Amino acid sequence: MPHPWSHSEDEVQSVIRNRAGAGRASPNGTGSGWRFAAIVAICALSLHVLGCDKLLTTKPDPGERFDTPLPGLDNGELGAFQRGHTQFRKAFSIAEGLGPIFNNVSCASCHSGDGRGLPENTLTRISRDASDLAIDVGGPQIQDKAIAGAEPERLPSGVLVSYRMPPPVFGVGLIEAITDSSILSHEDPGDADADGISGRANMVTPAPYVPATEPGGGPGPRVGRFGRKASVSSLLQQTVEAYHQDIGMTSSYRPIENVNPVASHPAVDPARDPELTDAEIENVMEYMRMLAPPAPGDPTPARDRGQVLFTSAQCVKCHIPTLHTGPHDIETLANRDVTLYSDLLLHDLGDALADNRPDGGADGKEWRTAPLWGLRVAREFLNGQLFLLHDGRAHTVDQAIRYHGGEATGARDAYLAMPPTDQAALVDFVESR
Amino acid sequence: MSRAALLLVLAALGLGSTAHAAGLPGPRREIFTPPSPDAPYHGSLDGLAFGGSGELRFAEDRQAGVSNPDWFSVGWVKGFILARLSSRFDLAMQGSWERVADDYTMERAEIGYRLGRAYQAHAGIFLAPLGRTNLSHDVPSYDFAERSLVATQIVGVPHAQVGVGIRKLPPAEGVARMYWEGDVVTGYDDGVITESPGGTRIPSGRNNYGDKNGIPAVVGRVARRSASGHEIGLAVQSGPYNSTEIDGVHVDRYRWMHVAVVDANAEWAGFRIFTEGAYALIDVPPTLQALYAEQQAGASVEMVRTLFDPLFRGWRGSAVTAGLRADMVDFDRSVQGDSRSRLSASVNLYHRPMAVTRIGWYYEIRRDRFNNSTPLAGVTFTAAAFF
């Protein structure tokens, strides 16, 4: 008696019949020679596919991306870079510690391809004044997402508000390595040269957990260089605070969960604190430290003319082409020129751009000069769009220039006075950085 | 190129031809006999049938031109025991480990009770009838090395749950009839959100060991099979997925998730065609809605043609088939991006009906929530067999 689960010989034959019935080539088994040839051809085709990069994807040009390492890193540094690359992209689940309140789930979720973000990634910063960060009502940053059981923060009344687009993260290691003297040499707080452009460093006190051995760490004040108002001096602090404030991930540096202070009931996520190891924080910090800026575009006659116009319009007074790094543990960051087109100083950009919210030493009209590097490929990582200035209000370089005021009024007016072809050449130059 | 050479050598050697299974219906033509084994038995012992299947995978996978070092792996290992306890009672146990999920799954721990000729009541852990692929997947007679995206990313195959239900059994070959299954099951859990980094991922909510919120889900499938074997099926699972209390504190209301799957199987112009589509509606808490999807969808179409059967005269049971599949999933219908699209091709040598070596190629475009695309591709060599 056949086993109850078995398939009878008839059934097996039925399988073979069915298979042969669909697209049967030669059910009688004839033509063995050309079948063998066909098998050989299939194998040869497979080998061809393996040798064909287009069928197996190709590496993008490193200069076209935001997530490539600086040239000249040694193997150990590249290993650290890769670990950080993975960590930067890691999206956290609630079970892993996301929240209880947060803005997004990973670093890469806000910094598209390690570049800029979209308007929906905009962070809302609040405070009452430079020294009162409105902690009691959810400051200094509103976390608008929350896990089950927690209440997201809502914008309270009676506070100063500033909207901040995620900035690019490439090149921050170079920014960190720029010497204080290189930055401070461009300061002109009293406008001694009477050109209408002052510029001053935002001298800030690092977070207590940033050791003196870290660049920008130790007892303050130190030259602020990160953030839209240069309110942070240390890449470690920038990393720790982003994890804590943006993603709700605790670390030994910030071991206490960020919670909604006005929630009707307390809520925390299910993960044990600290949710990140020191190594994970350091991996991401090292990764960002070693990220290379994209290569600028090839020079063209129009761009060359645009560069001349950029200079003659006095844009270079703030968007200084090159600053210089000093000694650094990572050799490729040390003692080199950094072509970022920024002086990293605070400038009054006028009422149109003012958020009227002091931030550290920066007043409500002052912004750190934004580096121009990476604009050439920025659109490629934002669905063909561009969102410029601190709140992303400008969608073209032309619009961004027109929003400039305050100390940049002269440069803006010079641009506006140019004939359209010159304006286009200047914009083309800026967008080729 | 050394990997390529190795793949070729393995293909030539026909690794996997040692299977000695009794045989099973061919690709997409397997006969459902209660409790729908998708595997042949290895041996029988006084009412027991037992066996297993496995797959080895050699691959050159690349992402944006960068090779994945994981070039040799075990695709899956599966073991099963089937028992006929009496003329009416059946027992089935089936467990698997899978590379993609890197997880063990109890696919079946099910007892069935035959009600007349055409009906069966069953209870325990069983594969939810949420689409044809979930009911019958990864048998070595499958014509692709990887399952479709809609199966793995929306349905979450293998999707097995604890439950109880009744099914009308599929018709015998050559008989046209409707058949169906309806079950009450534990359903997905809030892993759909809480264990799902980067957005809603339904497979993260698979949980087949028990309920987490006290409210069961219902799942059912209705299908019609023609005398020639063509089939169309519609399946739906619906139920709350979230926990409403944490440590006794009420944190949320019940939030429902509905998943619908349509599948069809036919032959046309010498091709076996299989298509499956899925649509999911997820009630996401308002505080997470900007990041977690409320609607997901996916579809796949695959065409397979038998090229040689048998491959050589006298090699009984051998065959060569070729398949082409296009599939895509949209993880969030409300945003551009957050999607995957893939084209797969495979040439398969069946040494016996239940032992196969495949050479495959795939090309995939993944898009993140910014709609930035990343290409992935690979050449795979797999060897799968029952043992």
Side-chain angles (χ1 to χ4, degrees), chain A residues 12-226:
Chain A
V12 173
Q13 289 300 326
S14 166
V15 171
I16 296 171
R17 281 198 307 276
N18 286 334
R19 190 170 59 198
R24 182 172 54 187
S26 181
N28 296 324
T30 57
S32 295
W34 78 270
R35 291 175 188 209
F36 182 76
I39 296 297
V40 171
I42 288 166
C43 292
L45 184 64
S46 302
L47 283 173
H48 178 72
V49 168
L50 278 173
C52 182
D53 281 344
K54 284 193 175 174
L55 288 173
L56 286 178
T57 74
T58 53
K59 275 186 185 176
D61 183 339
E64 304 295 310
R65 297 182 63 86
F66 298 142
D67 63 350
T68 52
L70 288 161
L73 297 174
D74 64 31
N75 286 344
E77 290 162 347
L78 285 170
F81 179 88
Q82 283 306 123
R83 287 192 293 276
H85 186 270
T86 302
Q87 182 72 19
F88 191 86
R89 272 147 191 76
K90 177 175 172 52
F92 292 93
S93 67
I94 294 167
E96 292 170 315
L98 177 70
I101 54 175
F102 62 101
N103 296 112
N104 219 320
V105 297
S106 72
C107 308
S109 300
C110 280
H111 302 278
S112 177
D114 294 5
R116 299 158 188 276
L118 292 168
E120 50 262 42
N121 308 127
T122 300
L123 301 176
T124 304
R125 295 274 172 78
I126 63 170
S127 59
R128 295 194 180 90
D129 57 44
S131 58
D132 182 354
L133 298 179
I135 303 290
D136 57 317
V137 290
Q141 181 172 307
I142 297 297
Q143 284 79 29
D144 59 349
K145 315 283 189 313
I147 66 172
E151 297 173 23
E153 292 176 335
R154 301 291 177 222
L155 187 60
S157 57
V159 294
L160 305 173
V161 181
S162 184
Y163 299 102
R164 308 284 179 88
M165 290 281 288
V169 297
F170 57 79
V172 294
L174 291 166
I175 291 176
E176 177 191 62
I178 292 169
T179 59
D180 289 357
S181 59
S182 183
I183 297 171
L184 298 175
S185 66
H186 297 285
E187 272 196 313
D188 183 14
D191 192 16
D193 59 4
D195 61 356
I197 299 168
S198 55
R200 63 191 182 91
N202 192 358
M203 302 304 293
V204 297
T205 302
Y209 55 75
V210 182
T213 51
E214 271 296 318
R222 305 297 305 269
V223 175
R225 55 188 78 202
F226 301 113

Side-chain angles (χ1 to χ4, degrees), chain A residues 406-429:
Chain A
E407 296 174 37
T409 302
R412 179 199 66 196
D413 291 346
Y415 170 79
L416 295 177
M418 292 177 189
T421 52
D422 284 358
Q423 289 181 347
L426 188 148
V427 167
D428 182 48
F429 166 72

Side-chain angles (χ1 to χ4, degrees), chain A residues 91-93 98 105-106 109, chain B residues 193 196-201 291-292 338 369:
Chain A
F92 292 93
S93 67
L98 177 70
V105 297
S106 72
S109 300
Chain B
I193 300 291
S196 165
T200 304
R201 294 292 182 269
L291 299 175
Y292 289 83
D338 204 7
R369 291 180 71 85

Side-chain angles (χ1 to χ4, degrees), chain A residues 3-7 9 11-36 38-39 42-44 46-60 65 90-96 98 102-105 108-113 116-118 120-121 144-152 154 265 379-383, chain B residues 1 3-5 7-8 11 22-27 29 31 33-35 37 39-41 44-45 47-49 60 62-66 82-84 90-91 173 193-199 246 251-252 267 270-272 287-288 290-292 305-313 316-321 336 347 350 352-353 359 361-363 368-372 375-379:
Chain A
H3 188 278
W5 301 109
S6 74
H7 297 274
E9 181 65 16
E11 285 175 325
V12 173
Q13 289 300 326
S14 166
V15 171
I16 296 171
R17 281 198 307 276
N18 286 334
R19 190 170 59 198
R24 182 172 54 187
S26 181
N28 296 324
T30 57
S32 295
W34 78 270
R35 291 175 188 209
F36 182 76
I39 296 297
I42 288 166
C43 292
S46 302
L47 283 173
H48 178 72
V49 168
L50 278 173
C52 182
D53 281 344
K54 284 193 175 174
L55 288 173
L56 286 178
T57 74
T58 53
K59 275 186 185 176
R65 297 182 63 86
K90 177 175 172 52
F92 292 93
S93 67
I94 294 167
E96 292 170 315
L98 177 70
F102 62 101
N103 296 112
N104 219 320
V105 297
S109 300
C110 280
H111 302 278
S112 177
R116 299 158 188 276
L118 292 168
E120 50 262 42
N121 308 127
D144 59 349
K145 315 283 189 313
I147 66 172
E151 297 173 23
R154 301 291 177 222
H265 59 273
R379 283 189 174 89
E380 293 178 25
F381 295 91
L382 293 173
N383 237 341
Chain B
M1 213 53 183
R3 292 184 196 178
L7 294 184
L8 190 60
L24 187 76
R29 298 300 303 265
I31 299 165
T33 52
Y41 70 96
S44 62
L45 181 65
L48 284 176
E60 170 73 11
R62 290 188 195 167
Q63 178 171 336
V66 178
L82 311 172
R84 176 142 293 174
D90 303 324
L91 182 68
E173 192 177 10
I193 300 291
T194 60
E195 293 181 20
S196 165
I246 298 175
V251 296
D252 201 1
E267 284 184 13
F271 289 92
R272 293 191 303 277
T287 58
L288 295 172
L291 299 175
Y292 289 83
R305 186 180 176 92
T306 301
L307 301 178
F308 310 116
D309 187 359
L311 178 57
F312 297 115
R313 190 183 310 178
R316 181 178 172 276
S318 69
V320 174
T321 66
Q336 280 190 312
V347 177
Y350 289 90
R352 294 171 58 88
I359 295 177
W361 167 84
Y362 68 90
Y363 195 95
D368 64 16
R369 291 180 71 85
F370 295 105
N371 208 22
N372 298 322
L376 298 92
V379 173

Side-chain angles (χ1 to χ4, degrees), chain B residues 38 51-55 74-81 93-109 125 127 134 137-139 147 156-160 206 208-209 387:
Chain B
D38 64 358
S53 63
E55 181 183 81
V74 174
W76 87 85
V77 179
K78 182 180 289 186
F80 58 88
I81 299 173
M93 304 284 287
Q94 184 165 298
S96 66
W97 177 88
E98 300 207 9
R99 178 186 68 93
V100 175
D102 192 16
D103 198 10
Y104 296 93
T105 303
M106 177 63 80
E107 295 190 2
R108 299 173 72 191
I125 297 174
L127 292 162
N134 195 50
H137 52 265
D138 272 353
V139 292
R147 297 183 208 123
V157 175
H159 173 43
R206 288 179 300 190
N208 66 1
Y209 292 104
F387 51 79

Side-chain angles (χ1 to χ4, degrees), chain B residues 15 110 133 153 172 194 214 217 222 229 243 296 315 323 349 382:
Chain B
L15 189 68
E110 175 186 13
T133 304
Q153 305 298 316
T194 60
V222 178
S243 303
Q296 296 186 333
W315 189 353
L349 167 61
T382 56

Side-chain angles (χ1 to χ4, degrees), chain B residues 231-298:
Chain B
E231 181 173 310
I232 184 166
L234 170 65
V236 174
Q237 175 162 340
S238 184
Y241 67 91
N242 66 319
S243 303
T244 58
E245 291 189 359
I246 298 175
D247 295 334
V249 178
H250 180 79
V251 296
D252 201 1
R253 64 172 171 79
Y254 285 114
R255 297 192 177 275
W256 285 65
M257 187 169 78
H258 316 278
V259 182
V261 180
V262 178
D263 60 79
N265 190 15
E267 284 184 13
W268 175 75
F271 289 92
R272 293 191 303 277
I273 300 169
F274 178 71
T275 181
E276 195 165 59
Y279 199 92
L281 289 170
I282 307 105
D283 180 10
V284 174
T287 58
L288 295 172
Q289 280 176 3
L291 299 175
Y292 289 83
E294 295 177 275
Q295 294 182 48
Q296 296 186 333

Side-chain angles (χ1 to χ4, degrees), chain B residues 112-273:
Chain B
Y113 180 75
R114 194 74 175 252
L115 302 165
R117 277 185 59 80
Y119 297 91
Q120 184 190 43
H122 65 133
I125 297 174
F126 50 84
L127 292 162
L130 195 54
R132 191 76 174 80
T133 304
N134 195 50
L135 287 170
S136 179
H137 52 265
D138 272 353
V139 292
S141 58
Y142 190 46
D143 286 290
F144 297 89
E146 314 282 354
R147 297 183 208 123
S148 70
L149 292 172
V150 64
T152 57
Q153 305 298 316
I154 303 285
V155 178
V157 175
H159 173 43
Q161 299 180 344
V162 178
V164 60
I166 190 167
R167 56 167 73 105
K168 183 175 184 180
L169 299 169
E173 192 177 10
V175 177
R177 199 181 71 193
M178 298 274 289
Y179 69 101
W180 50 262
E181 177 173 344
D183 305 306
V184 176
V185 295
T186 50
Y188 294 97
D189 66 27
D190 52 12
V192 169
I193 300 291
T194 60
E195 293 181 20
S196 165
T200 304
R201 294 292 182 269
I202 294 171
S204 297
R206 288 179 300 190
N207 159 43
N208 66 1
Y209 292 104
D211 192 19
K212 287 191 176 177
N213 57 21
I215 303 288
V218 292
V219 58
R221 179 173 182 265
V222 178
R224 174 168 177 80
R225 184 179 292 178
S226 72
S228 57
H230 298 181
E231 181 173 310
I232 184 166
L234 170 65
V236 174
Q237 175 162 340
S238 184
Y241 67 91
N242 66 319
S243 303
T244 58
E245 291 189 359
I246 298 175
D247 295 334
V249 178
H250 180 79
V251 296
D252 201 1
R253 64 172 171 79
Y254 285 114
R255 297 192 177 275
W256 285 65
M257 187 169 78
H258 316 278
V259 182
V261 180
V262 178
D263 60 79
N265 190 15
E267 284 184 13
W268 175 75
F271 289 92
R272 293 191 303 277
I273 300 169

